[in-house]
Amino acid sequence: MAEVLGMFTVQQTIGNVLCCKCGISMQPNAANMCAKCLRSEVDITEDLQKHVVIVHCPECDGYLQPPRSWIKAQLESKELLTFCIKKLKNLNKVKLVNAEFIWTEPHSKRIKIRLKVQKEVLNGAVLEQSYIIEYVVQDQMCDSCSKVQVNPDQWVAAVQLRQHVSHRRTFFYLEQLIIKHDAANRAIKIQQLDQGIDFFFGHRSHALKFVDFVSRVVLVRTRNAKQLASHDHKSNIVNYKYTFSVEISPVCREDLICLPPKVAASLGNIGPLVICTKVSNSIALLDPFTLRHCFLDADQYWRASFKPLLSSRQLVEYVVLDVDMVSEEVNIGGSKYVLADIQVARVSDFGKNDTIFSVRTHLGHLLDAGDYALGYDLYRANSNDFELEKYKGLVLPEVILIKKSYEEKRQKKRGKPRSWKLKSLNMEVDNSGKGRDQEQKMHSEYEHFLRDLEENPDLRFNISLYRDKEYQRSETTSVADGEDVPSIPLEELLADIDLNDIDGEEDGIGE
């Protein structure tokens, strides 16, 4: 107001005083001492711990939280920082401002943390000070790990995952989900069998938690049993071994299904021939001739379960001769479909006959004349499906197309490495009775699974893909080699971080 009226104003200034100890000029405070003299007179960290011993399990990377609980934490993680701070005594006498790790050698068995604290000292003056705490790590195995070391077969609960199909595509996908969510971190042993995987746990609660995770990502039904392991008659202590049998639905993505009449009627008379487009804790079904769709949850499926009429191993390759659009583009569950009338011929018939099939398909937005497609050959298929016989007078189509094929274009890239990779569980493989043919079959199925990930973005949405450090793009690789072939963009890949690699980089920078 005074400035607006043009009046003279006096600037408010803070005068300096001399420190009562060293005599330097400083701004006044309650103690009339500079910061250096105040620290020399008062040490607010005097009653705080500087050395602490913590117990670490080298097998499961857990830290002992007395009296018996163990907390799992990685080096320099938020969980480990919180655990270390809670171990300190008398920290409530000061105000914690900041906490951070100081880098130490991983094999030094030392963890250092720098804390910045504040405390009110002489005459209300607030002093801020930093100090370093050294934690000495002592290795000691936890109870569950020590039992495993003594006897690896000393498990309490086992989860048996089974799926009665002729391939392992579902287990490849489920393995990646387990790795991403770290669902099997409490398993003491994992064993891969012919038709499934067995997980062994040291506690029944860990097995129940794992079964609950599996039921949330795939369509399953569970049965459980228990067997008496030991009984102490004097103390009346009983020990049981628990087994959880988890059966996964045999219906997989891209399977052709003939719905039972009652199921089709309950779903609004859809089908009866439908395609499975997605499998999670429910099944997504699509009628390829009308684009009608529906979903089946676990209760609906297991109430009247059914098996696929044809599976993905029976797909036949066709070449597209002509395409005639029938409908506009329709978005169903995030996927686009267009009805079209298409003329196709079997690739295997070239040079043998002139057989041409006219079919209606839901892939009109993907296929053009000259493209290749994979589908089910019902013209030559010999199906003995019990549900199919219930539909009297049903005229089966000659061909049902499932997806676009890139096999011819992949021939140019055969033998070239991918720029990405997947992680795998540490499993014991049961090789009893397996020959060279079984190994080649497993390798072929895994290769088809990797191709499915490249072709289907929805399938890799819940999977962690990692950059391959050993991948080097060849100088002879041309743009035409990978033209129109599905691939995974670099922005979807994660860096496979290794602490040893980081240590090596820091050593190189220091040199």
Side-chain angles (χ1 to χ4, degrees):
M1 185 65 180
E3 293 178 356
V4 175
L5 298 176
M7 297 175 62
F8 175 74
T9 57
V10 179
Q11 296 292 333
Q12 297 291 332
T13 60
I14 300 176
N16 287 354
V17 298
L18 299 180
C19 174
C20 64
K21 285 286 186 181
C22 62
I24 66 170
S25 179
M26 52 167 271
Q27 291 186 356
N29 56 37
N32 285 334
M33 289 186 190
C34 63
K36 290 184 178 180
C37 295
L38 196 56
R39 289 193 186 98
S40 64
E41 291 290 327
V42 180
D43 183 11
I44 62 175
T45 66
E46 183 179 5
D47 297 331
L48 303 180
Q49 288 180 287
K50 306 292 194 307
H51 299 276
V52 183
V53 177
I54 56 177
V55 180
H56 169 253
C57 177
E59 295 294 326
C60 64
D61 281 335
Y63 292 87
L64 177 61
Q65 179 71 42
R68 291 185 177 180
S69 60
W70 291 81
I71 299 174
K72 289 195 174 183
Q74 299 295 327
L75 286 176
E76 297 192 5
S77 63
K78 294 181 179 179
E79 294 79 9
L80 182 58
L81 185 62
T82 304
F83 169 77
C84 292
I85 292 176
K86 288 184 177 180
K87 293 285 290 183
L88 299 177
K89 298 178 181 178
N90 300 329
L91 196 60
N92 56 350
K93 294 182 179 180
V94 295
K95 179 183 178 182
L96 181 62
V97 178
N98 187 32
E100 60 182 359
F101 284 103
I102 300 176
W103 186 85
T104 55
E105 291 286 349
H107 59 269
S108 64
K109 302 298 180 183
R110 298 291 188 273
I111 297 176
K112 292 184 178 181
I113 296 178
R114 180 185 287 111
L115 295 185
K116 185 182 289 185
V117 295
Q118 289 181 350
K119 185 179 181 181
E120 188 175 318
V121 291
L122 302 175
N123 299 325
V126 177
L127 180 62
E128 183 176 287
Q129 189 173 345
S130 298
Y131 73 107
I132 296 176
I133 307 169
E134 183 180 62
Y135 293 85
V136 180
V137 181
Q138 292 184 353
D139 286 341
Q140 176 185 328
M141 283 195 294
C142 59
D143 295 338
S144 58
C145 292
S146 59
K147 289 180 181 179
V148 173
Q149 289 293 329
V150 174
N151 184 5
D153 295 328
Q154 195 171 359
W155 51 271
V156 175
V159 179
Q160 300 173 345
L161 296 184
R162 297 292 184 270
Q163 186 183 31
H164 302 293
V165 293
S166 58
H167 57 81
R168 297 187 64 88
R169 291 170 53 196
T170 303
F171 290 108
F172 291 144
Y173 178 68
L174 184 58
E175 179 184 8
Q176 298 304 316
L177 292 179
I178 292 172
I179 292 173
K180 180 174 181 178
H181 297 278
D182 202 16
N185 60 340
R186 298 297 184 112
I188 60 178
K189 187 174 72 170
I190 305 175
Q191 188 173 12
Q192 177 180 315
L193 302 176
D194 224 7
Q195 286 191 334
I197 306 176
D198 288 350
F199 295 82
F200 298 92
F201 298 89
H203 296 280
R204 180 173 177 268
S205 60
H206 299 164
L208 286 171
K209 185 178 180 181
F210 180 76
V211 171
D212 180 64
F213 168 80
V214 174
S215 64
R216 284 188 278 112
V217 295
V218 289
L219 199 67
V220 300
R221 64 177 174 183
T222 307
R223 291 176 295 177
N224 60 79
K226 64 180 181 179
Q227 182 181 6
L228 182 65
S230 63
H231 183 197
D232 189 349
H233 295 278
K234 293 183 178 180
S235 58
N236 199 25
I237 296 178
V238 181
N239 294 321
Y240 289 98
K241 281 194 173 184
Y242 302 88
T243 303
F244 298 88
S245 177
V246 181
E247 181 184 356
I248 303 176
S249 165
V251 178
C252 301
R253 195 175 58 87
E254 299 174 354
D255 284 354
L256 180 64
I257 301 167
C258 179
L259 292 175
K262 291 184 179 180
V263 177
S266 65
L267 298 175
N269 289 321
I270 189 175
L273 292 179
V274 293
I275 299 172
C276 178
T277 58
K278 186 179 180 181
V279 176
S280 56
N281 55 355
S282 61
I283 299 177
L285 302 176
L286 174 70
D287 188 339
F289 310 111
T290 62
L291 295 186
R292 295 182 62 192
H293 65 283
C294 64
F295 296 90
L296 284 177
D297 58 19
D299 293 336
Q300 291 174 311
Y301 174 78
W302 294 111
R303 195 181 304 126
S305 60
F306 48 84
K307 294 182 178 180
L309 180 64
L310 296 172
S311 64
S312 58
R313 297 189 66 184
Q314 299 165 284
L315 289 172
V316 179
E317 190 172 19
Y318 293 86
V319 61
V320 179
L321 304 178
D322 187 28
V323 179
D324 184 16
M325 298 296 179
V326 175
S327 70
E328 298 293 331
E329 187 175 276
V330 179
N331 195 321
I332 300 176
S335 300
K336 298 177 181 179
Y337 301 104
V338 175
L339 278 181
D341 290 332
I342 296 181
Q343 288 186 344
V344 297
R346 283 189 294 260
V347 175
S348 59
D349 287 348
F350 277 9
K352 298 180 180 179
N353 56 58
D354 297 330
T355 306
I356 297 176
F357 304 98
S358 297
V359 299
R360 174 160 290 190
T361 180
H362 60 294
L363 304 176
H365 62 299
L366 293 177
L367 299 177
D368 294 316
D371 288 343
Y372 291 84
L374 293 175
Y376 293 112
D377 187 2
L378 299 180
Y379 180 75
R380 294 191 302 187
N382 184 14
S383 60
N384 298 320
D385 190 73
F386 180 71
E387 302 296 341
L388 195 61
E389 297 175 356
K390 296 180 180 179
Y391 292 94
K392 296 181 180 180
L394 177 65
V395 179
L396 294 176
E398 296 175 323
V399 176
I400 296 180
L401 298 181
I402 300 299
K403 63 179 180 179
K404 186 175 180 179
S405 175
Y406 302 91
E407 185 62 30
E408 184 187 15
K409 297 175 182 178
R410 289 187 187 274
Q411 294 290 338
K412 301 177 181 178
K413 297 184 65 177
R414 178 159 293 181
K416 297 179 181 179
R418 291 181 170 88
S419 61
W420 54 276
K421 64 179 181 178
L422 297 174
K423 292 186 176 181
S424 58
L425 290 172
N426 184 19
M427 292 188 289
E428 298 179 4
V429 182
D430 183 13
N431 292 321
S432 58
K434 286 188 177 181
R436 187 176 179 181
D437 294 340
Q438 291 290 337
E439 293 180 1
Q440 292 179 351
K441 175 186 173 184
M442 180 79 71
H443 180 75
S444 176
E445 290 177 353
Y446 189 70
E447 177 64 25
H448 280 88
F449 172 69
L450 297 181
R451 293 181 182 181
D452 288 343
L453 291 180
E454 292 176 335
E455 297 174 7
N456 194 338
D458 295 335
L459 186 62
R460 63 177 184 262
F461 179 75
N462 294 321
I463 292 180
S464 297
L465 306 172
Y466 299 90
R467 295 188 183 96
D468 190 355
K469 299 177 183 178
E470 299 178 358
Y471 171 77
Q472 292 182 353
R473 185 177 178 85
S474 174
E475 296 179 359
T476 60
T477 302
S478 63
V479 178
D481 288 347
E483 186 179 2
D484 296 334
V485 178
S487 60
I488 299 178
L490 290 176
E491 56 267 18
E492 293 188 23
L493 304 182
L494 302 175
D496 190 7
I497 299 175
D498 190 355
L499 290 177
N500 295 328
D501 295 342
I502 296 175
D503 298 343
E505 292 178 2
E506 291 183 353
D507 293 342
I509 294 173
E511 293 176 359

